[in-house]
Amino acid sequence: MTRPPLYGVGIFVPVSDLKRSTAWYTEMLGLEIIHKDEPDAIVMRMNDEKVSFCLVRSYEVKQPIFPKNDYGVGQYFNIHTTDVGGMHRQLKAKGADVGDIEDFDGFQGFSLTDPDGNRYGVTA
């Protein structure tokens, strides 16, 4: 079976403390380390191997502001789940910085922020 020309996405994530962030992404999101370029970067993947996160040790990490819009979007990436309520409870119990669950015209979601302020939506 041949792969289509495009089959996945890699997300570069600026982090101030590579060790702390690697532990956070492993514990909170269950990502698996697939490559280490310490002390500069760690590449991790989600369970389907089509999405990877490259944590890049960065200086003066500043978060981009998502432009004002009428669609209600405030972050650049969503992470999909089959159980918004269960994932929210699980992350909250682990001490993650999560927002309240909101309804968005037929689906639900909440915000999730990593230790450096990188923000994701978690939706179903």
Side-chain angles (χ1 to χ4, degrees), residues 14-16 56 58-63 116-118:
V15 300
S16 60
V56 179
S58 303
Y59 308 97
E60 300 178 23
V61 175
K62 294 179 182 166
Q63 298 308 317
D116 283 291
N118 295 298

Side-chain angles (χ1 to χ4, degrees), residues 18-59:
L18 193 59
K19 185 175 182 176
R20 175 188 69 182
S21 292
T22 300
W24 188 91
Y25 280 83
T26 300
E27 181 181 341
M28 298 299 171
L29 301 181
L31 301 186
E32 172 189 2
I33 297 170
I34 58 172
H35 182 75
K36 293 182 179 183
D37 266 333
E38 292 177 307
D40 299 314
I42 298 281
V43 181
M44 308 178 88
R45 69 176 171 204
M46 283 193 150
N47 57 9
D48 68 0
E49 300 182 23
K50 293 180 182 172
V51 177
S52 64
F53 287 72
C54 183
L55 308 181
V56 179
R57 184 173 56 101
S58 303
Y59 308 97

Side-chain angles (χ1 to χ4, degrees), residues 61-103:
V61 175
K62 294 179 182 166
Q63 298 308 317
I65 303 293
F66 199 90
K68 184 178 178 182
N69 62 85
D70 294 326
Y71 196 56
V73 175
Q75 70 279 333
Y76 286 90
F77 301 100
N78 277 347
I79 300 170
H80 300 284
T81 181
T82 56
D83 181 4
V84 169
M87 184 56 65
H88 188 267
R89 284 188 299 278
Q90 178 182 332
L91 289 167
K92 196 170 185 175
K94 290 179 180 182
D97 180 358
V98 295
D100 294 333
I101 296 175
E102 298 181 49
D103 290 309

